[in-house]
């Protein structure tokens, strides 16, 4: 099938692209600017990219005609509050003009659950887009989702920020609104499952997980998953406007997005029509399981597990290294980079790190850190290394665990197993321009994790600067 994918720079679009390619479809990505499309080069080589701005005048002659299926994943949550509904309508109308000039058989639109009579401005706009997209020319399939749970989704990151930062919360009343959260992996399974399915033509389905929870329930379950003690108190004194300020100052979401979220959260998002599960034979996972997947240290785990519980499909031309990455959200990072003069020497030093060789700078500080780790029940530095010059995935390396190690890919990724108020990664990678990238990442667990990073930051500056410099410059008699 030739599939047109819009919104590929967005959260859902980025997730579904590799799945569609893995399933053997030809994918045409529709973007406003090609420079904004940040996907892996091996995925990029398997897609066709066209530049179209659906807010501008329609030029059907520039649009490919041989399209079987089209995804409409364009939303405007972060645009102007005064204009976003008009912009969403215009984009949908122009998309419809374009797509009706093709051979398309089905259009799939991801909307929002909107079963209440009085809807927020954003949910009302989604309903209007549904009406605009209806056509006698093609079959329309609308999937209405509630809260999407996945690392990177706006709602999940908002919950993460609030719970991680605040041990005690005085919250607006919308925290008691009921919702039916759904894991991002299930959203992708539904979106890909309805492709060319006759029972899904010209129908609208609500998609959600198996549980109905309040936002308070979701926050407390998040806290439980992270082993954080949290107290939540609700008051009716916080207005929707103050609520948006509250979200803006406490979380990392933009002010416009905070307004949109606060406005939408007053509406219950509970499924009414759930027979798509029977049609596609899909059983959504629980909220607790969705949280576990959101915390997983491997991005794109849906591709890794695929539909066959296999590793990366050879048809994608990808390796495990393309997907094992540390988290981006809710993390502190210390990034260093230097040009490599002698690549073999640098790789040898990276592969010799730890154990008797140490960490190339201020080894006495690393020993002190290991000593204190042992005092509080951690593994310290006593494990050392398995072999002096060899590292394999799964190896213990002092108080690290090796997640990925490939001299061919010039990349080493370590995960900390020391006692920490959070999670930590240390990565070394030499890129195609012969630049060594050294990245220390810390995902704090609650307020103590944030205080820990602040307290240790002055030491990081000297230790990590000295480490990368000496990895590049240190000679070894074994070379």
């Amino acid at each position: 099938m030739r599939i047109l994918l819009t919104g590929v720079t967005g959260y859902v679009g980025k997730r579904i692209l590799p799945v569609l390619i893995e399933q053997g479809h030809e994918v045409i990505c529709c973007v406003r600017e090609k420079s904004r499309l940040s996907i892996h080069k091996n995925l990029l080589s398997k897609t066709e990219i066209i530049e179209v701005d659906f807010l501008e005048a329609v030029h059907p002659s520039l649009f490919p005609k041989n399209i079987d299926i089209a995804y409409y994943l364009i939303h405007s949550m972060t645009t102007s509050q005064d204009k976003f509904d008009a912009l969403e309508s215009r984009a949908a109308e122009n998309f419809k003009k374009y797509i009706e000039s093709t051979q398309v058989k089905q259009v799939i639109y991801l909307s929002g659950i909107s079963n209440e009579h009085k809807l927020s401005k954003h949910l009302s706009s989604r309903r209007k887009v549904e009406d605009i997209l209806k056509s006698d020319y093609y079959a329309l399939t609308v999937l209405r989702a509630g809260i999407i749970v996945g690392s990177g989704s706006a709602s999940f990151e908002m919950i993460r920020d609030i719970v991680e930062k605040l041990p005690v919360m005085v919250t607006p009343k919308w925290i008691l609104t009921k919702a039916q959260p759904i894991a991002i992996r299930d959203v992708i399974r539904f979106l890909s499952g309805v492709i060319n399915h006759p029972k899904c033509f010209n129908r609208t389905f609500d998609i959600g997980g198996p549980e109905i929870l309040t936002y308070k329930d979701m926050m407390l379950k998040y806290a439980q998953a992270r082993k954080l003690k949290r107290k939540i108190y609700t008051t009716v004194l916080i207005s929707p406007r103050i609520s948006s300020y509250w979200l803006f100052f406490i979380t990392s979401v933009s002010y416009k997005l905070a307004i949109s979220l606060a406005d939408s959260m007053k509406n219950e998002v509970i499924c009414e029509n759930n027979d798509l599960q029977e049609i596609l034979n899909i059983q959504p996972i629980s909220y607790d399981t969705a949280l576990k997947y959101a915390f997983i240290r491997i991005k794109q785990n849906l591709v890794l597990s695929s539909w066959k519980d296999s590793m990366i499909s050879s048809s994608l031309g990808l390796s495990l290294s393309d997907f094992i990455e540390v988290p981006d959200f809710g993390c502190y990072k210390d990034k260093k980079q230097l040009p490599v003069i002698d690549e073999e020497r640098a790789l040898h030093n990276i592969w010799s790190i730890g154990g008797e060789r140490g960490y190339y700078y201020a080894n006495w500080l690393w020993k002190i850190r290991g000593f204190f780790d042992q005092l509080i029940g951690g593994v310290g530095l006593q494990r050392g290394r398995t072999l002096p010059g060899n590292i394999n995935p799964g190896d213990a390396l002092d108080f690290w665990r090796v997640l990925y190690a490939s001299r061919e890919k010039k990349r080493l990724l370590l995960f900390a197993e020391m006692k920490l108020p959070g999670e930590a990664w240390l990565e070394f990678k030499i890129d195609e321009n012969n630049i060594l990238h050294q990245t220390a990442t810390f995902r704090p667990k609650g307020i103590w994790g944030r205080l820990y990073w602040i307290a240790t930051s002055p030491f990081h500056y000297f230790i990590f600067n000295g480490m990368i410099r000496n990895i590049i410059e240190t000679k070894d008699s074994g070379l």
Side-chain angles (χ1 to χ4, degrees):
M1 292 258 179
R2 279 179 59 83
I3 296 179
L4 181 83
L5 180 61
T6 65
V8 71
T9 58
Y11 177 65
V12 176
K14 282 182 180 178
R15 294 292 186 106
I16 199 172
L17 173 60
V19 174
L20 295 176
I21 293 174
E22 187 188 31
Q23 290 178 340
H25 301 294
E26 297 178 54
V27 182
I28 304 154
C29 293
C30 234
V31 295
R32 279 188 294 178
E33 300 173 28
K34 289 183 180 180
S35 60
R36 293 186 61 211
L37 186 57
S38 177
I39 59 175
H40 192 274
K41 61 183 179 181
N42 285 5
L43 290 178
L44 202 59
S45 66
K46 296 178 181 295
T47 61
E48 180 182 338
I49 302 170
I50 59 174
E51 285 189 337
V52 178
D53 188 343
F54 291 110
L55 295 177
E56 301 297 331
V58 176
H59 301 286
S61 60
L62 304 178
F63 216 65
K65 305 301 178 186
N66 55 337
I67 294 171
D68 301 307
I69 309 290
Y71 281 95
Y72 190 71
L73 303 177
I74 297 173
H75 299 302
S76 304
M77 284 285 283
T78 57
T79 54
S80 167
Q81 281 297 107
D82 298 326
K83 300 179 180 179
F84 83 87
D85 50 346
L87 294 176
E88 285 197 334
S89 294
R90 188 196 311 169
E93 289 166 355
N94 287 344
F95 168 84
K96 185 177 179 180
K97 291 176 183 176
Y98 272 115
I99 210 67
E100 285 186 340
S101 70
T102 72
Q103 302 166 5
V104 70
K105 302 180 183 68
Q106 180 189 25
V107 170
I108 302 166
Y109 172 49
L110 180 62
S111 185
I113 293 178
S114 50
N115 295 323
E116 291 193 358
H117 295 295
K118 188 177 181 181
L119 298 174
S120 69
K121 193 174 182 180
H122 275 87
L123 289 176
S124 295
S125 180
R126 299 287 189 271
R127 289 291 288 269
K128 187 175 181 182
V129 169
E130 292 178 23
D131 292 335
I132 292 171
L133 292 177
K134 291 176 181 177
S135 172
D136 295 330
Y137 187 82
Y138 55 77
L140 176 65
T141 301
V142 177
L143 301 186
R144 294 176 177 169
I147 306 302
I148 297 178
V149 183
S151 183
S153 73
S155 300
F156 177 79
E157 295 306 330
M158 179 201 71
I159 290 173
R160 182 209 294 268
D161 263 1
I162 293 173
V163 178
E164 294 280 357
K165 290 178 180 177
L166 301 176
V168 179
M169 297 167 245
V170 179
T171 61
K173 64 180 181 180
W174 54 251
I175 201 172
L176 300 178
T177 301
K178 293 179 180 179
Q180 202 162 340
I182 181 170
I184 179 61
R185 62 190 289 116
D186 288 329
V187 173
I188 301 303
R189 291 170 72 197
F190 281 121
L191 281 171
S192 59
V194 299
I195 292 175
N196 203 34
H197 200 304
K199 292 184 179 180
C200 301
F201 289 173
N202 296 312
R203 292 194 62 184
T204 298
F205 302 94
D206 290 353
I207 57 173
E211 304 151 292
I212 296 174
L213 303 169
T214 65
Y215 288 95
K216 182 178 180 179
D217 294 331
M218 286 185 266
M219 289 181 185
L220 291 175
K221 280 179 173 288
Y222 178 99
Q224 184 179 17
R226 291 283 280 164
K227 295 181 173 58
L228 296 168
K229 292 183 179 180
R230 293 295 182 258
K231 297 290 185 181
I232 303 176
Y233 303 97
T234 307
T235 176
V236 296
L237 300 178
I238 301 178
S239 68
R241 177 62 63 172
I242 295 175
S243 177
S244 60
Y245 290 139
W246 185 79
L247 286 177
F248 172 63
F249 286 114
I250 290 175
T251 73
S252 58
V253 301
S254 68
Y255 178 62
K256 290 176 181 176
L257 182 55
I259 294 175
S260 302
L261 290 171
D263 182 48
S264 298
M265 286 173 176
K266 65 188 180 185
N267 288 116
E268 289 191 347
V269 282
I270 300 173
C271 298
E272 288 188 354
N273 176 4
N274 242 356
D275 62 343
L276 187 61
Q277 294 183 24
E278 286 71 40
I279 293 172
L280 301 182
N281 193 26
I282 292 174
Q283 292 300 317
I285 61 177
S286 69
Y287 180 73
D288 289 338
T289 305
L291 285 178
K292 291 178 183 177
Y293 280 117
F295 292 140
I296 203 164
R297 300 179 197 104
I298 301 177
K299 281 187 177 180
Q300 299 285 3
N301 61 80
L302 186 60
V303 176
L304 279 173
S305 59
S306 78
W307 314 107
K308 306 172 292 296
D309 290 326
S310 65
M311 296 303 284
I312 297 296
S313 169
S314 59
S315 66
L316 282 176
L318 296 169
S319 71
L320 189 59
S321 177
D322 300 318
F323 290 90
I324 293 185
E325 297 182 17
V326 297
D328 292 322
F329 296 93
C331 296
Y332 295 111
K333 291 181 182 283
D334 185 288
K335 296 182 179 182
K336 311 291 183 201
Q337 61 181 54
L338 284 175
V340 174
I341 299 171
D342 187 333
E343 181 183 289
E344 186 57 32
R345 178 199 299 171
L347 282 172
H348 177 84
N349 287 335
I350 292 170
W351 254 250
S352 301
I353 198 168
E356 293 183 6
R357 189 72 181 272
Y359 293 85
Y360 300 100
Y361 188 81
N363 277 329
W364 61 277
L365 284 175
W366 287 95
K367 289 177 182 178
I368 290 173
R369 181 66 183 85
F371 172 74
F372 279 112
D373 190 54
Q374 280 186 263
L375 280 182
I376 59 176
V379 295
L381 299 177
Q382 61 184 345
R383 296 190 303 189
R385 324 173 26 116
T386 305
L387 295 171
N390 191 30
I391 297 177
N392 296 299
D395 283 355
L397 195 162
D398 294 331
F399 41 42
W400 303 97
R401 180 69 59 181
V402 180
L403 292 185
Y404 184 84
S406 171
R407 290 188 74 138
E408 181 185 356
K409 295 283 186 178
K410 306 171 193 175
R411 184 182 177 212
L412 175 66
L413 178 61
L414 308 175
F415 177 70
E417 293 187 329
M418 65 188 84
K419 294 287 186 178
L420 286 169
E423 298 160 305
W425 295 259
L426 182 60
E427 180 179 22
F428 303 93
K429 185 175 183 179
I430 300 176
D431 67 18
E432 61 272 13
N433 298 316
N434 231 28
I435 303 295
L436 172 60
H437 298 265
Q438 174 187 286
T439 306
T441 302
F442 182 67
R443 181 161 66 187
K445 183 179 177 182
I447 190 69
W448 291 112
R450 296 173 190 276
L451 291 175
Y452 172 84
W453 179 265
I454 293 170
T456 56
S457 289
F459 300 100
H460 294 164
Y461 177 79
F462 295 104
I463 291 173
F464 292 133
N465 268 324
M467 179 190 288
I468 190 171
R469 186 175 63 248
N470 288 337
I471 283 175
I472 290 172
E473 296 176 355
T474 299
K475 295 183 179 180
D476 188 274
S477 58
L479 283 176

